[in-house]
Amino acid sequence: MTPDVIVANSTPPVAALAGRTKTIPIVFANLFDPVGAGFVASLARPGGNITGFSNFEPAMAGKWLEMLKEIAPNVTRAFVMFDSITPSDAEFAKTAEKLAPSFGLQYAAASVSNAGDIQHAINGIAHEANSGLIVVGGAVSSANREGIVGLAAEHRIPTIYSFRYYVVSGGLLSYGVDPRDVFGRTATYVDRILRGAKPADLPVQAPTKFELVINLKTAKALNLDIPLPLLAAADEIIE
């Protein structure tokens, strides 16, 4: 049976599907660079059988730096840990490097590809006074989130994460794209295609909804007082 439309999450499955069909509509979620990957001709006019929703918003790097400084004012150096195999992670790191001085922060980065790299990076950060950590959530970091959260707690490093599940696992604070919103919007494109719309005419859309999650138990363990404006802005507070 030939499907009427296919939904795919992230770049690898979209790449596999793109090589198999040029006619069945494909709607993607959470893609970094669909133009650069060759999936669409342009964001405004995809032009083929593929369209969907990007999860890349480089301005988030500035929010991570701002929140790190806000939640831990004594931090003077921001370490950005990112996946070596995830292209969007490297772009976030570049943006953070450009913006760090505007927040009064020195910048350092660690590219990781496995659990050993992660442990080495965090152990090194622990020996740098007044340091904070920003974890960009690529595949390697996500797969090792329990270890990252545990090491950050062990070394008492204020850490900002990109996805809620890190904070649910005991991380301090996360700010990032709301995946529930992305998949909900993806469903609207599926509906439109089933009603006759063509992927070629449906523009690729950027993320529009972001979520802030704070773990007060972790903040207390780090002796950090969360500013009231940040608490008021939180979408979820874990106690």
Side-chain angles (χ1 to χ4, degrees):
M1 177 181 290
T2 301
D4 295 314
V5 61
I6 302 172
V7 177
N9 180 39
S10 77
T11 299
V14 176
L17 290 166
R20 297 290 298 272
T21 179
K22 301 298 181 185
T23 57
I24 300 173
I26 298 170
V27 181
F28 60 75
N30 297 315
L31 227 67
F32 161 53
D33 183 9
V35 176
F39 300 142
V40 300
S42 73
L43 299 182
R45 301 285 293 181
N49 65 315
I50 302 175
T51 188
F53 296 83
S54 167
N55 67 346
F56 181 63
E57 177 48 69
M60 284 198 302
K63 293 295 293 185
W64 296 331
L65 292 165
E66 178 185 357
M67 290 178 177
L68 177 60
K69 193 66 178 177
E70 190 173 359
I71 204 169
N74 291 333
V75 166
T76 57
R77 181 186 293 266
F79 282 84
V80 177
M81 189 168 69
F82 65 96
D83 285 8
S84 61
I85 61 172
T86 306
S88 59
D89 279 19
E91 291 300 317
F92 280 125
K94 290 178 184 177
T95 303
E97 183 176 14
K98 293 177 183 177
L99 296 176
S102 64
F103 295 99
L105 292 166
Q106 297 178 336
Y107 171 87
S111 172
V112 298
S113 59
N114 54 54
D117 289 347
I118 290 170
Q119 184 170 8
H120 179 76
I122 296 179
N123 286 342
I125 294 167
H127 290 92
E128 298 284 347
N130 300 319
S131 292
L133 175 62
I134 295 171
V135 177
V136 184
V140 175
S141 299
S142 297
N144 291 278
R145 62 181 177 272
E146 298 285 349
I148 293 171
V149 168
L151 284 167
E154 177 185 342
H155 294 298
R156 303 180 60 78
I157 302 170
T159 305
I160 307 295
Y161 302 92
S162 51
F163 289 108
R164 173 183 178 273
Y165 48 72
Y166 288 95
V167 183
V168 172
S169 296
L172 175 60
L173 179 152
S174 68
Y175 179 78
V177 174
D178 183 346
R180 293 163 295 188
D181 178 65
V182 173
F183 284 108
R185 295 166 70 206
T186 300
T188 66
Y189 266 19
V190 172
D191 179 66
R192 292 176 66 177
I193 290 169
L194 292 176
R195 292 173 183 269
K198 298 182 182 301
D201 301 325
L202 297 175
V204 175
Q205 296 192 33
T208 58
K209 186 177 181 182
F210 303 87
E211 59 179 356
L212 169 62
V213 184
I214 300 170
N215 191 315
L216 288 183
K217 183 178 179 181
T218 302
K220 183 178 180 180
L222 294 171
N223 291 322
L224 296 174
D225 293 321
I226 308 297
L228 289 178
L230 206 56
L231 286 173
D235 297 283
E236 182 179 356
I237 294 174
I238 297 174
E239 301 183 84

